[in-house]
Amino acid sequence: NKYRALRNGFLCVGIALGIIVSIIVCNSTSLDEGWQFLVVASSILLFMGAAYLAFYMMVKDKQDIDSGIE
C-alpha cells in the first residue's frame, strides 16, 4: 500500500490529539480514577476514528485518479 506512511501519520496525530484532549478534560473535572481511564480510552478511540475517516476522505479521490491512469 503506497499510502501506508500517510495513514500512520494520520493515526499518530489522532492518538496525540486524543491524549491531549483527555488530559485537558481530566484536569478540568474532578473524576474518579476509573472514570479518568474511560475518558482517556474513549477520547483516544474517538480521535483515532476521526483520523481514519480523514485519511479515507483524502485517499478516496486519489485512488480514483490512480485507477484511471492504469
Side-chain angles (χ1 to χ4, degrees):
N1 189 0
K2 69 181 193 177
Y3 296 113
R4 183 179 298 168
L6 181 64
R7 183 194 65 206
N8 291 340
F10 269 95
L11 192 61
C12 288
V13 169
I15 291 171
L17 286 175
I19 291 171
I20 290 169
V21 168
S22 64
I23 288 172
I24 291 171
V25 168
C26 288
N27 286 337
S28 64
T29 60
S30 57
L31 297 172
D32 294 340
E33 195 167 313
W35 285 106
Q36 285 181 357
F37 172 75
L38 289 176
V39 167
V40 170
S42 63
S43 180
I44 291 172
L45 289 174
L46 175 71
F47 280 94
M48 280 176 52
Y52 272 123
L53 286 174
F55 170 74
Y56 172 74
M57 297 302 280
M58 180 177 282
V59 173
K60 172 179 72 166
D61 297 330
K62 292 181 181 181
Q63 286 181 342
D64 292 340
I65 293 169
D66 289 345
S67 64
I69 292 172
E70 295 174 357

